[in-house]
Amino acid sequence: MPAHLTLFRSLPPSAGEEVRRSLSRACAAAPPDAEISGIMDLDSGVALRIASPELEDIRDELAAEFRGLLTAQDQGRWTPHVTIQNKVEPGEARKLLREMRASFEARAIEIAGLQLIRYVEGEWEAVGRFAFRGPRSARQRRRS
């Protein structure tokens, strides 16, 4: 099932070409190994915690390249996750959290690439997709 991890929440539109070049360069490598490692409590929602030291390295390298362009929020600690539920009543969120934790099993996931998206007049618009191009790891080949 397609999902997304947000690496950066806001980059200035004026840096679009620079960002595209950086994402393209980052995706020349093999896709990073990653797994769903747990369930996160978002207070008013629930998310899947993602563990991927390789993806964290990619994000750190991009953050260094984008120094001076990042908001305070994007300069802070990054916690990779996929949001399942957001902006609901806390009781509803706690119920889903209990249900998901009761049956949770860690599992590998595929990180196919990076995408650049912009928000225009209330709509999300994809402006660039960059697939990882390097050879897959032995672990990834075994999962296929």
Side-chain angles (χ1 to χ4, degrees):
M1 173 183 302
H4 74 271
L5 296 159
T6 300
L7 298 182
F8 303 100
R9 287 179 168 72
S10 180
L11 294 167
S14 61
E17 285 307 312
E18 176 184 351
V19 171
R20 283 182 187 84
R21 282 191 303 274
S22 294
L23 297 180
S24 181
R25 180 203 42 74
C27 286
D33 286 330
E35 73 173 12
I36 299 171
S37 62
I39 309 296
M40 291 176 59
D41 181 351
L42 302 178
D43 292 327
S44 62
V46 177
L48 301 173
R49 180 180 306 278
I50 306 301
S52 177
E54 294 168 351
L55 185 60
E56 289 186 39
D57 289 346
I58 291 168
R59 198 242 183 225
D60 289 347
E61 290 170 13
L62 290 169
E65 289 181 33
F66 301 156
R67 190 178 2 261
L69 301 175
L70 299 179
T71 63
Q73 186 177 26
D74 283 337
Q75 290 175 39
R77 184 172 173 267
W78 181 58
T79 305
H81 66 279
V82 174
T83 302
I84 302 294
Q85 179 190 58
N86 198 16
K87 300 179 183 173
V88 300
E89 292 297 319
E92 185 179 342
R94 283 191 298 276
K95 180 177 183 259
L96 179 60
L97 183 68
R98 280 191 305 275
E99 291 170 3
M100 291 183 71
R101 283 184 172 163
S103 62
F104 177 76
E105 292 182 30
R107 69 179 193 87
I109 60 169
E110 179 182 342
I111 306 285
L114 302 176
Q115 185 174 21
L116 181 59
I117 298 174
R118 69 179 171 188
Y119 191 70
V120 180
E121 298 179 14
E123 298 292 325
W124 293 102
E125 175 186 325
V127 294
R129 293 177 189 262
F130 308 87
F132 285 105
R133 298 184 304 273
R136 294 171 46 185
S137 71
R139 177 178 164 210
Q140 291 167 329
R141 287 191 299 274
R142 282 193 303 273
R143 289 192 321 232
S144 297

